[in-house]
Amino acid sequence: MDSEVEIKGKVISVLNMKGGVGKTTITKEIGYHLSTLRDKKVLLIDVDPQLNLTQSLFRFYGFAQTEELAKKILVEEEQLQEELHEITTEESKNLSEEKKKEVKLKISEASIERVFSSTTSSPAKEKEAIQILAPNLHIIPGELGVEFTLRNLNSGKIENGIYEFIKKNNLRNKYHYIIIDCPPTYSSYTIAALKPSDYLLIPVKPEAYSITGVDMLMNVIKSVVEENDPYFETKPLKNLGIIFTDIKQSPSIGTTKLIKDITDSEKIAKHQINIFATRFLSNAYMKNRLDYFIDASNSEKSKLNLEVLVDEILERIDELG
Ligand SMILES: Nc1ncnc2c1ncn2[C@@H]1O[C@H](COP(=O)(O)OP(=O)(O)OP(=O)(O)O)[C@@H](O)[C@H]1O
Ligand SMILES: [Mg+2]
């Protein structure tokens, strides 16, 4: 691990009980941006058993969790290369160039399981849980093959796991930002993410039931905070707000109305939730490639959008203190 830096790291959970709203995408894009363009030390944590965040970053940086997966990925890559030969857009050509760099995949044994299964007498070591992807960008990868469990009597270890790991290893002094990608369901993993968090960030795709989803989320958070008072007393959980995601530059009348309805809704007002002025714009390439990263692409429009979005997130963090 690199030497400690004089920093007071901030922990941010990216959360929404609704699936497919852009939690993982926002986490990885912000993490990549802060680490590559703003010289910040970033730790990403994948607490979602779906492993989307891990898959995306491992694909980009050339890692796999097992030899078997590594072989499968290489076969898929070869097929993709063949298909790409038939496509001639600039974006595809560049992606193709990037792929050539990662013909050999490194096997990563780091896993969040170690964080969740550690005990006081055998605490997890940083190198057992953290995979260094690049000097400024590290990840605690999800664990392959984990069954999604709801809360049960043995959940305590999971629920305190990340909090204890950050504390024991002094991670707030080693990373400027620790960003946690949460699963869409309420479980021990959600609590594990919230306990160490200073901030909450809520991506929302404007849809018919978005308001109900956010209202439910806020009620769940309220009860988690109440149930775990001691964790939040010295370090209150602050809500950065809602970011509308996957929005076209010129949104349809329907989307515009949905955004207005959500923004003006009584429920949002009741919870006093900030709405980000910057929306996370749609980018068609994102849907097609696990390892697409805006700042590694040629999309100037998306790059500018991400830059402005990160500016607004940092301003909001400053504002809330
Ligand atoms: N700005 C965007 N433009 C285009 N597609 C997007 C955008 N943001 C997210 N997507 C796509 O929407 C889908 C869902 O995004 P993502 O996986 O980030 O959501 P999620 O909230 O993490 O989902 P889950 O709840 O399953 O974890 C993905 O296919 C992703 O590529
Ligand atoms: Mg996700």
Side-chain angles (χ1 to χ4, degrees), residues 23-24 48 50 52 181-182:
K23 296 180 286 293
T24 303
D48 185 355
Q50 294 178 104
N52 294 157
D181 181 24
C182 295

Side-chain angles (χ1 to χ4, degrees), residues 25-78:
T25 309
I26 290 268
T27 305
K28 70 177 210 177
E29 292 295 352
I30 293 173
Y32 187 85
H33 181 91
L34 287 169
S35 66
T36 55
L37 295 182
R38 308 214 182 191
D39 202 25
K40 298 295 178 203
K41 289 210 71 144
V42 178
L43 174 67
L44 301 178
I45 306 183
D46 191 357
V47 295
D48 185 355
Q50 294 178 104
L51 301 180
N52 294 157
L53 181 73
T54 305
Q55 285 168 331
S56 173
L57 283 137
F58 273 18
R59 217 28 116 78
F60 186 85
Y61 285 100
F63 287 88
Q65 285 174 301
T66 61
E67 292 286 355
E68 200 185 338
L69 268 179
K71 278 190 202 125
K72 196 170 146 236
I73 290 167
L74 289 179
V75 171
E76 276 173 24
E77 279 306 328
E78 260 172 44

Side-chain angles (χ1 to χ4, degrees), residues 84 87-98 100:
L84 283 179
I87 308 171
T88 50
T89 64
E90 259 322 290
E91 189 96 16
S92 308
K93 269 192 222 152
N94 279 351
L95 280 172
S96 170
E97 285 304 311
E98 269 165 31
K100 284 182 192 148

Side-chain angles (χ1 to χ4, degrees), residues 132-145:
I132 297 174
L133 301 166
N136 272 357
L137 186 59
H138 303 180
I139 187 171
I140 301 185
E143 171 77 7
L144 270 177

Side-chain angles (χ1 to χ4, degrees), residues 87-266:
I87 308 171
T88 50
T89 64
E90 259 322 290
E91 189 96 16
S92 308
K93 269 192 222 152
N94 279 351
L95 280 172
S96 170
E97 285 304 311
E98 269 165 31
K99 300 320 310 161
K100 284 182 192 148
K101 285 188 247 159
E102 51 167 52
V103 177
K104 235 178 142 35
L105 296 178
K106 292 153 278 200
I107 304 298
S108 170
E109 286 175 357
S111 158
I112 195 151
E113 192 45 34
R114 203 47 203 102
V115 172
F116 288 149
S117 66
S118 73
T119 57
T120 323
S121 55
S122 153
K125 295 196 183 77
E126 280 175 71
K127 63 174 184 329
E128 292 172 321
I130 298 177
Q131 178 62 56
I132 297 174
L133 301 166
N136 272 357
L137 186 59
H138 303 180
I139 187 171
I140 301 185
E143 171 77 7
L144 270 177
V146 165
E147 295 277 328
F148 208 103
T149 48
L150 292 175
R151 294 182 77 184
N152 59 42
L153 288 176
N154 298 320
S155 304
K157 236 155 84 173
I158 293 182
E159 293 175 9
N160 294 336
I162 302 175
Y163 180 92
E164 294 296 337
F165 184 72
I166 289 177
K167 200 169 132 195
K168 283 208 180 80
N169 293 294
N170 218 5
L171 298 188
R172 281 176 188 269
N173 295 330
K174 296 175 184 170
Y175 296 98
H176 294 95
Y177 298 99
I178 298 176
I179 312 176
I180 311 178
D181 181 24
C182 295
T185 36
Y186 176 55
S187 70
S188 293
Y189 302 108
T190 320
I191 300 172
L194 289 175
K195 275 190 178 176
S197 288
D198 305 302
Y199 303 98
L200 188 71
L201 188 61
I202 312 172
V204 168
K205 248 187 210 182
E207 282 158 350
Y209 296 106
S210 300
I211 298 173
T212 319
V214 173
D215 186 39
M216 247 174 62
L217 171 70
M218 294 314 296
N219 292 333
V220 164
I221 286 165
K222 200 165 158 253
S223 70
V224 171
V225 169
E226 279 168 8
E227 262 180 51
N228 297 281
D229 249 0
Y231 288 88
F232 299 105
E233 250 164 34
T234 50
K235 172 201 65 55
L237 181 62
K238 299 168 188 171
N239 192 347
L240 296 174
I242 289 176
I243 297 176
F244 288 118
T245 62
D246 199 1
I247 309 292
K248 299 218 162 61
Q249 197 142 39
S250 307
S252 65
I253 296 174
T255 304
T256 307
K257 180 168 185 320
L258 277 168
I259 290 178
K260 187 172 176 349
D261 288 350
I262 298 168
T263 309
D264 296 345
S265 96
E266 274 176 27

